[in-house]
Amino acid sequence: MKSGKINVKTENIFPIIKKFLYSDHDIFLRELISNAVDATQKLTHLVKSGVVPIELGDITIEVVVNKNDKTLRVIDKGIGMTEDEVVKYINQIAFSSAEEFLEKYKGTDAANIIGHFGLGFYSAFMVSKEVEIITKSYVAEESAVRWVCDGSPQYKMERHDKTERGTEIILHISDEDEQFLDEQKIIALLNKYCRFLPVAIRCGNEKYWETPEGEEKSVELERPRIINNTNPLWKQTPSGLTQEDYLKFYRELYPMSFEEPLFQIHLNVDYPFNLTGVLYFPKVKNQLEMQKNKVQLYCNQVFITDQLEGIIPEFMQLLHGVIDSPDIPLNVSRSYLQSDAAVKKISTHITKKVADKLEEMFKNNREDFEQKWDDIKVFIQYGAVTDEKFYDRAKSFYLLKNIDNKYFTFDEYKTHVEALQKDKEDTLIYLYAADVDAQHVYINAAKERGYDVLCFDGFLDTHFINMLEQKLEKTRFTRVDADIIDKLIAKEEVQVSKLSEEETKQLQEIFNNSVEKEKFMVKIESLSETDLPILLTRNEFMRRYQDMEKLSGQKSFYSSFDHYTLVVNGNHELANKLLHETDTEKQTTLTKQLVDLAMLSQNLLTGEKLSEFVKRSVGLL
Ligand code: ADP
Ligand code: MG
């Protein structure tokens, strides 16, 4: 038996590992299983390439929980280690990163560096008071060794009688970490981190593993199931896969999800970095459906995280699926990932791939693309508003939908509107409705003039319009109820007023007396006789400002500042009738009735006012 001291200058590294290294203690299991998988794959490689002529046999990795002796064991049938290798890889190399960590740790702000170091094997000490390694190399003549370390830099090493090839790591779980002796907990962790690892993994408790003497082992009965899918879909060749395969894998990833994805992109890149994965497009129509933790990041099939803020662009987090790259550093914290150059490149590349796919879909089958549009619009808007490069790609396939459900690209719509508004103004006016039912009166007015009205009823539309106005040249967006239509799109022929100056003043007076002055501004306009007698409009910019505030949850002076313009058509027959009504009571009733009708057109007539209106209407009838 040998004993020695791990090559480290500070005595107390383990308490530090325990406390600070990973905020998430769970990670030790991921590290140990990764090592077991590496060791197994190294051997598989040697055997398959004919370098080592041995029988591989069953290479399933076993995880055994034993509540009685408070151990957790990870057993592989991989390449194993000789005594020299344990000295080299466990005592020296593995520990050098621990030492480096400590050097940096001293005198620095711990929070800044913790998590920049991966301690792999040594992370086992986060949850153990003692760790044993029993390992036998695949080289037949080498004998097995046992290494033990109790959490101080002292270790012991001795020969062992293990005859089976491979490595067994035995963790003597510390009292405060007994949760890791719960089989269900361990299975849950394996499901999280190891679900798609390339070597089969089985997890069971001591009952399966140890049979009391004299009893016959009923292995078949108790043998736990393999918990992982060793050949996940994203690692397979896309040409061999059907749409049904992709849907099946989606259900495997999200068993609790009822919605099916719309379509997917299979990522398969080998240059300038390695990247595989599948990204699914979910249906996203409103804020509630914007779920941001559904993309899972893997490194060589080992789960790293599904919290991707700062790692991939915000809008990409709306997608579902898997990204896997060996270039993503495994043992590090998120703050490190966010600043990692490889991660940044990967992120840019994925965005480009997504734009490629959307463009290809648009070009290859526009009809199908239009059918999916309403469900992917939010995603594309989010991308366009937050990522300049994505906007530059999206502007060729972004679709504007009008209230007749016709779709136009930006270029197509420009041509369309130019034809309708020719010679009218230098700037094109894009009319839109945010609520086709509520703004019906205004939409009709626009349609009667032969104008087109876009449908902008999505919850990101206000943001999107603001952005588009900056991008599209000589174009202004205005909601159909922002003013009377002839003001929104100026007409050449001006309507002549039928009222004298005196009559106009009089009419203004009549209406001023029957509305709340701080809320309404009365304006007498000369419209056509066939236009409505009265209408409420709302200034575009004030309204948009309020919409933005509502979206961001902020409040200011303007939030409660509901201001409307009451447009009275001086040329309408009713205006004339009002002016010449000699019975003042009748005049007041008629005025009130007209104002209420205008309110109705903006959905503003509710409660007591509505009851009054109904009563008055009955009286008039
Ligand atoms: P890394 O995996 O990044 O190399 P670790 O600290 O996890 O760092 O492991 C250190 C080394 O110990 C590994 O590179 C490997 O050589 C050796 N090792 C760890 N676990 C095993 C195992 N189960 N079988 C064989 N070798 C192992
Ligand atoms: Mg490792």
Side-chain angles (χ1 to χ4, degrees):
M1 168 148 131
K2 264 192 208 166
S3 68
K5 203 168 164 225
I6 295 165
N7 180 24
V8 61
K9 281 144 215 138
T10 318
E11 296 296 314
N12 298 329
I13 182 164
F14 293 111
I16 295 169
I17 292 178
K18 224 170 186 150
K19 219 166 144 188
F20 290 123
L21 187 60
Y22 294 107
S23 44
D24 209 353
H25 276 189
D26 296 359
I27 278 180
F28 80 93
L29 190 60
R30 180 188 85 184
E31 293 299 326
L32 295 183
I33 303 272
S34 303
N35 285 349
V37 168
D38 287 349
T40 310
Q41 284 192 311
K42 276 180 200 159
L43 186 68
T44 318
H45 208 78
L46 290 174
V47 172
K48 286 202 173 139
S49 60
V51 179
V52 175
I54 56 166
E55 198 54 54
L56 266 181
D58 179 10
I59 51 165
T60 306
I61 293 166
E62 307 270 1
V63 179
V64 185
V65 186
N66 190 333
K67 270 201 160 128
N68 301 326
D69 65 6
K70 298 193 176 168
T71 60
L72 177 67
R73 291 184 288 168
V74 177
I75 303 149
D76 69 61
K77 298 173 189 75
I79 197 165
M81 283 181 277
T82 63
E83 191 182 322
D84 288 350
E85 283 165 345
V86 174
V87 171
K88 190 170 163 202
Y89 296 131
I90 300 297
N91 295 340
Q92 292 166 9
I93 295 183
F95 218 70
S96 66
S97 73
E99 252 207 300
E100 196 191 337
F101 165 73
L102 213 71
E103 280 303 309
K104 299 250 167 98
Y105 174 79
K106 275 188 286 183
T108 353
D109 176 12
N112 277 335
I113 59 151
I114 286 159
H116 292 205
F117 291 85
L119 289 193
F121 167 73
Y122 280 96
S123 63
F125 286 97
M126 290 196 296
V127 298
S128 317
K129 50 188 171 206
E130 186 173 87
V131 177
E132 286 178 63
I133 305 173
I134 298 169
T135 180
K136 161 124 180 53
S137 166
Y138 73 98
V139 180
E141 52 274 23
E142 294 280 354
S143 97
V145 267
R146 173 173 175 267
W147 178 96
V148 197
C149 183
D150 67 355
S152 70
Q154 249 80 32
Y155 66 86
K156 275 188 232 158
M157 234 164 88
E158 63 192 352
R159 290 200 163 203
H160 192 270
D161 56 10
K162 178 179 167 76
T163 52
E164 227 184 349
R165 174 200 78 220
T167 303
E168 175 169 353
I169 309 282
I170 306 171
L171 308 185
H172 297 267
I173 300 292
S174 354
D175 298 340
E176 64 267 29
D177 284 301
E178 281 192 0
Q179 46 165 323
F180 298 114
L181 292 171
D182 175 4
E183 191 185 344
Q184 290 315 310
K185 163 93 184 174
I186 296 298
I187 288 174
L189 285 183
L190 291 172
N191 272 323
K192 179 173 171 190
Y193 291 112
C194 309
R195 212 168 148 194
F196 298 115
L197 276 178
V199 178
I201 301 163
R202 215 191 323 258
C203 178
N205 59 29
E206 71 282 3
K207 284 188 212 103
Y208 150 63
W209 199 252
E210 279 152 8
T211 313
E213 238 163 287
E215 271 178 45
E216 214 169 296
K217 196 169 184 170
S218 52
V219 170
E220 285 319 312
L221 249 177
E222 291 184 11
R223 192 168 227 201
R225 282 188 308 150
I226 306 276
I227 61 151
N228 55 330
N229 169 359
T230 56
N231 185 21
L233 173 129
W234 78 84
K235 284 284 169 191
Q236 301 171 28
T237 329
S239 57
L241 295 165
T242 64
Q243 192 54 29
E244 188 44 44
D245 294 328
Y246 285 106
L247 286 179
K248 236 176 86 191
F249 184 64
Y250 186 84
R251 285 181 217 121
E252 187 181 339
L253 275 179
Y254 312 106
M256 308 306 261
S257 174
F258 298 112
E259 280 274 5
E260 299 225 313
L262 289 162
F263 53 92
Q264 71 284 327
I265 305 176
H266 197 141
L267 300 161
N268 209 334
V269 187
D270 350 271
Y271 183 83
F273 44 78
N274 226 297
L275 177 80
T276 49
V278 186
L279 289 175
Y280 291 93
F281 277 72
K283 293 180 185 165
V284 187
K285 278 189 180 146
N286 53 48
Q287 210 144 9
L288 288 174
E289 287 167 0
M290 297 205 1
Q291 281 203 347
K292 282 198 192 160
N293 52 357
K294 287 224 163 174
V295 178
Q296 305 177 354
L297 192 64
Y298 288 77
C299 171
N300 283 328
Q301 294 168 243
V302 181
F303 175 82
I304 302 178
T305 183
D306 56 8
Q307 308 289 310
L308 296 186
E309 302 101 76
I311 296 171
I312 59 170
E314 231 178 305
F315 73 105
M316 297 290 281
Q317 293 166 42
L318 297 182
L319 300 181
H320 299 174
V322 170
I323 298 169
D324 186 352
S325 173
D327 297 322
I328 293 171
L330 175 65
N331 295 315
V332 292
S333 70
R334 184 201 325 296
S335 63
Y336 186 83
L337 274 185
Q338 287 170 353
S339 58
D340 187 78
V343 172
K344 281 213 174 98
K345 258 194 233 148
I346 287 170
S347 163
T348 314
H349 190 84
I350 295 171
T351 308
K352 190 184 160 298
K353 283 279 167 202
V354 167
D356 286 348
K357 171 79 180 186
L358 291 167
E359 190 176 354
E360 177 199 307
M361 285 170 58
F362 168 73
K363 282 189 176 152
N364 289 354
N365 190 347
R366 170 136 178 194
E367 204 179 316
D368 182 58
F369 189 72
E370 285 185 2
Q371 260 177 16
K372 296 188 164 104
W373 179 257
D374 291 353
D375 291 318
I376 55 173
K377 180 180 112 174
V378 167
F379 171 81
I380 296 176
Q381 284 185 329
Y382 198 169
V385 170
T386 54
D387 184 334
E388 184 87 34
K389 280 212 182 92
F390 187 76
Y391 171 78
D392 283 337
R393 293 293 314 276
K395 66 188 176 195
S396 64
F397 55 77
Y398 189 93
L399 296 179
L400 294 164
K401 182 168 90 165
N402 75 7
I403 53 159
D404 303 320
N405 293 324
K406 271 183 80 175
Y407 293 89
F408 303 83
T409 63
F410 289 153
D411 284 346
E412 288 164 358
Y413 199 66
K414 183 164 181 253
T415 314
H416 184 63
V417 173
E418 265 168 356
L420 300 174
Q421 295 177 19
K422 58 178 175 273
D423 312 328
K424 293 219 168 88
E425 259 187 70
D426 201 26
T427 302
L428 289 177
I429 310 293
Y430 286 7
L431 295 172
Y432 68 95
D435 184 331
V436 174
D437 284 334
Q439 287 150 13
H440 199 257
V441 171
Y442 306 86
I443 294 170
N444 264 355
K447 278 185 140 180
E448 268 165 25
R449 300 286 193 285
Y451 300 133
D452 196 79
V453 179
L454 290 171
C455 180
F456 270 128
D457 55 2
F459 77 101
L460 282 182
D461 279 332
T462 309
H463 278 294
F464 192 67
I465 286 170
N466 285 340
M467 186 208 67
L468 274 190
E469 273 182 338
Q470 322 225 320
K471 299 277 185 195
L472 303 178
E473 279 166 23
K474 292 188 176 173
T475 307
R476 220 173 62 223
F477 285 81
T478 179
R479 209 165 90 171
V480 277
D481 60 347
D483 204 336
I484 52 172
I485 188 70
D486 290 341
K487 285 270 164 72
L488 292 179
I489 302 170
K491 275 182 86 173
E492 262 166 15
E493 72 269 28
V494 189
Q495 288 281 341
V496 188
S497 176
K498 286 188 187 167
L499 303 178
S500 68
E501 224 171 282
E502 189 53 39
E503 285 172 320
T504 308
K505 258 192 191 162
Q506 231 181 309
L507 194 61
Q508 176 109 29
E509 235 353 80
I510 295 173
F511 279 97
N512 271 345
N513 288 337
S514 65
V515 294
E516 297 166 61
K517 286 199 187 57
E518 56 286 0
K519 240 183 163 176
F520 300 94
M521 185 176 76
V522 177
K523 245 176 143 179
I524 312 297
E525 297 277 358
S526 313
L527 308 176
S528 132
E529 288 168 41
T530 53
D531 281 325
L532 288 170
I534 195 162
L535 204 64
L536 266 193
T537 62
R538 227 179 135 193
N539 180 274
E540 173 76 14
F541 290 97
M542 182 62 77
R543 198 214 73 245
R544 235 196 259 184
Y545 190 83
Q546 289 181 346
D547 286 350
M548 296 290 283
E549 284 195 334
K550 258 184 235 152
L551 268 178
S552 62
Q554 287 172 347
K555 272 210 164 121
S556 74
F557 165 70
Y558 297 104
S559 306
S560 54
F561 194 73
D562 277 330
H563 201 271
Y564 297 86
T565 307
L566 189 78
V567 182
V568 179
N569 182 359
N571 289 349
H572 197 277
E573 205 192 305
L574 279 171
N576 197 41
K577 197 173 163 193
L578 254 184
L579 275 171
H580 297 101
E581 181 59 66
T582 44
D583 181 340
T584 43
E585 201 178 314
K586 263 193 182 167
Q587 193 186 48
T588 313
T589 313
L590 192 54
T591 312
K592 278 192 175 158
Q593 190 73 1
L594 281 170
V595 171
D596 282 355
L597 282 172
M599 300 274 283
L600 265 182
S601 74
Q602 276 281 10
N603 255 334
L604 289 172
L605 207 60
T606 53
E608 210 180 309
K609 289 225 162 77
L610 183 60
S611 305
E612 252 175 56
F613 170 75
V614 172
K615 221 168 134 189
R616 191 184 326 111
S617 302
V618 172
L620 282 171
L621 284 170

